[in-house]
Amino acid sequence: MKSAIITITLAAICAVATTASAQTYEEKLAAGAEKTDQNHLNVPFVKPKNPKTVYTLPGNWPVFENRAPIDRSPRDKPSKVLVMGSGDPNPNPYRYGPALAVIVNGYPYFIDAGEGWWRAVGKSVTSQGALDLATIMAPRNLKYMFLTHLHEDHTVGLPSFISNPYKFSSTTGAADKKVYGPEGVDEMIAHINAGWRLDRNEMFQGSIMAAADGSTAVGVPIWPQVDVKGRKIFEDDNVMVEAFPTEHGFLKHTIAYRFTTKPDGRILVFGGDGHYSEGLVNAAKGADVLFVEGITRKNIKFASWGGDTVEEKVKTIGAYHMFPSDMKKLQHDSGVKEIVMIHVQNYNSPENFDRLGVLKEMQDEGVTNILQAQDGDLY
Ligand SMILES: [Zn+2]
Ligand SMILES: [Zn+2]
């Protein structure tokens, strides 16, 4: 019985092998091409065949603004903000997870480590030519990370941030990382250090014989000593950083960071996720730029989560995210000069999808000086 099965199986394998080998290499390529009429960037854009699943909803279609990364930073200010990832939890292959960097005197300070962090660095270096990012992002410079909150979409890039630069640092050296964040960040970082112990040990005990320096991180919790008035949590020769509490769903500890750049006095605020709150208003008081999330209210019925009815979705999603009415109030109460949206949740019907839908909603609500970022932009 056993040998009969083996015979049949072998026969089946031979049949497959015969069919496959009858095709030339070019024929095989052509057969694959027949199944996909789109290139990997989907340009020109062809709508997915079944645009109703978590992978193919309009929020995952090619980049929100149909343009290359640009430099929107003030020419007379040497301190810059690089948007490396403008995405959200939706699996959009054209936008990396939330990841930003304040760059002062050629040195980067990172805010949030979303999905694809290391690749987002690589993409920015190769697509944004206004700064010498290849030098700025040298492994020895990748040290300071500030997490707005510990949701997966803002932290899943941490293992890359900690381990990947190290693997390429044998000649340049790598920095041990310091990760500031809400309560629990120390535990999260300790688990990541432990989880990638085998990989790390192979690097410095195996054939590469790299030094252990720069292969781990330490998590620095900055909660609970933060109240709505804010508190200074970091200072060096380049920047001063203050932390303020924000409100984002049922997470108890979420933070906005207010950076003051020392050489040129820019005030750059990173709100993370969340709706209008007193802490966020204080963080953004009179700031030059606020980087913050935004979400559609008009098309919230197309959101793939938050309940079955529009009322349920507004209540649930509104407890987590920034509707246009909240953004208006935030701008009014804080006096922030410019708002740059990342983490834009542009839920929409596949039939009427507008890449700039959320931006237009914000403007219709009366929000002024508001932009929508794309990966690789400078502000
Ligand atoms: Zn998020
Ligand atoms: Zn979140």
Side-chain angles (χ1 to χ4, degrees):
M1 193 63 197
K2 215 171 187 180
S3 69
I5 291 170
I6 290 169
T7 311
I8 292 163
T9 312
L10 278 175
I13 290 168
C14 288
V16 170
T18 310
T19 315
S21 65
Q23 272 187 326
T24 65
Y25 180 63
E26 285 70 24
E27 281 168 345
K28 278 190 217 164
L29 285 182
E34 270 167 18
K35 294 193 186 98
T36 165
D37 50 5
Q38 294 160 242
N39 60 46
H40 74 287
L41 288 173
N42 197 357
V43 176
F45 178 58
V46 179
K47 275 188 191 180
K49 291 207 173 67
N50 174 16
K52 304 277 184 189
T53 77
V54 68
Y55 306 106
T56 55
L57 285 169
N60 300 321
W61 293 359
V63 285
F64 276 359
E65 292 194 57
N66 196 13
R67 61 169 173 80
I70 51 179
D71 177 8
R72 285 167 155 167
S73 68
R75 293 292 172 274
D76 60 335
K77 302 282 184 185
S79 301
K80 310 286 179 191
V81 175
L82 174 68
V83 176
M84 304 191 300
S86 63
D88 59 32
N90 283 293
N92 184 321
Y94 308 93
R95 301 158 75 214
Y96 289 112
L100 302 111
V102 176
I103 297 168
V104 183
N105 286 329
Y107 194 83
Y109 303 81
F110 298 101
I111 298 95
D112 285 344
E115 194 168 357
W117 187 87
W118 180 237
R119 267 143 237 278
V121 175
K123 182 180 175 184
S124 296
V125 167
T126 51
S127 66
Q128 176 52 263
L131 290 180
D132 179 13
L133 289 172
T135 301
I136 292 166
M137 297 299 178
R140 66 178 174 278
N141 289 351
L142 312 181
K143 180 176 177 66
Y144 294 113
M145 174 71 69
F146 298 84
L147 300 174
T148 59
H149 62 299
L150 301 185
H151 270 159
E152 172 269 347
D153 59 311
H154 297 250
T155 53
V156 71
L158 285 172
S160 290
F161 169 67
I162 296 166
S163 298
N164 230 325
Y166 170 72
K167 296 184 176 179
F168 297 90
S169 65
S170 56
T171 52
T172 56
D176 274 319
K177 320 292 183 298
K178 217 163 177 186
V179 181
Y180 294 81
E183 183 181 79
V185 67
D186 45 350
E187 198 184 342
M188 180 179 271
I189 297 299
H191 282 300
I192 293 171
N193 285 333
W196 274 266
R197 183 176 53 83
L198 282 176
D199 177 44
R200 195 168 63 243
N201 286 349
E202 200 282 327
M203 293 300 287
F204 53 75
Q205 290 170 359
S207 55
I208 297 174
M209 299 288 280
D213 304 343
S215 62
T216 56
V218 59
V220 185
I222 57 175
W223 204 273
Q225 307 94 317
V226 173
D227 67 24
V228 291
K229 291 192 209 91
R231 183 171 70 88
K232 183 165 87 178
I233 55 127
F234 180 91
E235 183 164 19
D236 66 6
D237 292 343
N238 294 329
V239 293
M240 193 267 281
V241 185
E242 295 161 280
F244 296 76
T246 57
E247 291 175 20
H248 176 40
F250 301 97
L251 275 183
K252 280 206 179 71
H253 309 313
T254 60
I255 293 170
Y257 295 102
R258 178 183 172 102
F259 279 67
T260 304
T261 61
K262 292 195 176 176
D264 48 8
R266 291 187 85 191
I267 296 175
L268 308 162
V269 179
F270 302 88
D273 292 359
H275 51 76
Y276 175 96
S277 66
E278 191 186 352
L280 186 54
V281 168
N282 290 344
K285 263 269 145 54
D288 292 301
V289 194
L290 167 66
F291 296 83
V292 74
E293 65 135 307
I295 187 168
T296 177
R297 169 64 184 82
K298 193 172 86 185
N299 292 312
I300 200 69
K301 65 169 178 280
F302 296 108
S304 49
W305 63 289
D308 295 325
T309 64
V310 168
E311 289 69 32
E312 280 172 21
K313 284 181 195 289
V314 167
K315 190 161 177 267
T316 307
I317 297 175
Y320 281 88
H321 294 297
M322 186 82 74
F323 286 138
S325 55
D326 263 23
M327 192 76 94
K328 170 90 185 304
K329 199 161 145 51
L330 173 61
Q331 184 171 52
H332 176 267
D333 293 356
S334 68
V336 62
K337 294 173 192 133
E338 184 176 70
I339 294 170
V340 175
M341 277 193 295
I342 61 160
H343 200 288
V344 177
Q345 293 175 79
N346 191 2
Y347 299 112
N348 215 317
S349 85
E351 288 74 35
N352 301 309
F353 182 60
D354 180 353
R355 291 171 197 267
L356 302 177
V358 175
L359 184 64
K360 286 177 187 161
E361 262 185 73
M362 295 283 171
Q363 289 166 335
D364 289 346
E365 187 73 29
V367 182
T368 55
N369 295 332
I370 184 165
L371 299 166
Q372 182 168 282
Q374 187 165 304
D375 296 6
D377 280 356
L378 268 186
Y379 292 88

